[in-house]
Amino acid sequence: MKQPSLALVAIAVATVLSAGVAQAKPFKWASQADVASWDIHAQNNGLHNAIHPYVYETLVTYNSTTFAVEPLLATSWKEVTPKQMRFALRQGVKFQDGSSFTADDAVFSLTRAMAKTSNYGPFVQGIEKVVKVDDGTIDIFMVDPNPVLLRQMTELRMMSKAWSEKNKSTEPMDIKKSDENFAHRNAMGTGPFILESWQPDVRMVLKKNPNWWGQMPGNVTSITYTPIKSAPTRMAALLSGEVDMLLDPTPQDLNRLRASPDLKILEGLENRTIFFGMDQFRDELPGSNVKGKNPLKDQKVRQALYQSIDIQAITKTILRGLGKPTGTLVAPQVNGWTEAVGQRLPYNQDAAKKLLVEAGYPDGFEVDFACPNNRYISDEAICQAVTAMWAKVGVKAKLRTLPMVTYFPMIQRNEASIYMLGWGVPTFDSLYSLQSLVRTVGKGGDGNYNVGRYSNERMDYLVDRVKTETDQPVRTRMLTEGLQLSNDTVSHLPLYDQVIPWAMKKNIDLVHRADNRVDIKLVTVR
């Protein structure tokens, strides 16, 4: 598999500190949303996968600058057979309650990720079972050879089996329902920080784990994370010094921030693509004025919606450059992407109107349209602009916006006709996107976020082949074919690859990552 281009990974490590120079410091940061749960298998999204590693660790991890897979709680691994991988576990690792991390915990955690209520199906796809060899060794058995197993495992975090059993949290919480387990509001891992307190949508405080087994190149001893939905309030918090860093400054404020002698901006292309999905399953859409059929099942209608979106205007006026228009479901860092597959259909309202006439909707139609209002850069403003663009071709989108914590469970219950979604690719491999977004809904992570329930036999064949294909050139060609098939059938409405700026005080040194995650171990507060 090709490695992500370093030219697209904005790296900023301003100071290399010796142990004598680094002084222990608190780190306060903010963004517009909060995590929905501390249950590590309940909800799979970027913010959870960025914050949970402070407390919960994986067997392997990414290097923050090269994105090469490196050891973490596993010190080594080897292929026993093409369908069996053996992992040697790090010795002497303790959970935060003082108990030892062993093979029993690793087997339990990986098996828990495979549970029906887990949202981590794409990361355990292809795993048949996990077996304890001895206290310090596990074997992962696969249904077929899996060329991206190690990259999948960068998101499979380790829990204490005994703690989970004691606190009746052996199964992941079902994020689609309101019932909570103990692991939802409590955390106990092996990581460098301990969750001290969490008031959802108010504040999260973590303190350094004094018994952590690893090395901390940075000097952060406590973390305060504050979700601040209001953009002006987030800006005021940074400018006043209340927080050290913003993960998501607003585009219109970037020039002002750059002009400040006390602040700095780091930015780069994220491996996340923003798009709209559409319900292609129901025979009639709730809330639509079209009765007895679903307009979104018609490819001409989907293409009309696509070609009536002026993405250049959106990226220029709303995002102010913080978006690179795209015609496919993955960003350039991801294996399978090509320039050809990334080409957009042209913006053309006349063509869109003609397609609607051909589809039998000369006067357009009404449709439900749902968007988050605190997840992606300017998400609500973008959806408002698209609503106006669709109105010009006769499609009356009834926009409703929700906070992230309620938005994602809602769309996973298939309660939106058209919805916004941003999809990062932690494996840097298109299988993760194709399996999650366009594979027919099934077992083992198939269609995990295919909430529009798109289905195509050729797509299913390609995805299933790619899961086990070990000839890398053949595999890459099949990934590209899958992306092109998604384009050709208008499975989704691709918008742009997100460019992510981080704003911070000048005394903050860190590494800007393409997956929009703050590697807390590398943060230095001077």
Side-chain angles (χ1 to χ4, degrees), residues 19-40:
V21 175
Q23 296 178 345
K25 293 288 181 69
F27 178 61
K28 299 170 289 183
W29 67 291
S31 72
Q32 59 184 325
D34 199 2
V35 299
S37 177
W38 266 95
D39 187 322
I40 58 172

Side-chain angles (χ1 to χ4, degrees), residues 204-246:
M204 180 190 303
V205 179
L206 303 100
K207 63 181 181 180
K208 191 172 182 180
N209 177 6
N211 300 314
W212 183 52
W213 60 270
Q215 297 293 317
M216 182 80 72
N219 66 346
V220 172
T221 51
S222 67
I223 306 166
T224 301
Y225 174 75
T226 307
I228 307 174
K229 180 181 176 182
S230 164
T233 306
R234 287 200 308 279
M235 280 291 298
L238 180 64
L239 292 167
S240 69
E242 181 183 342
V243 299
D244 300 312
M245 175 196 168
L246 289 186

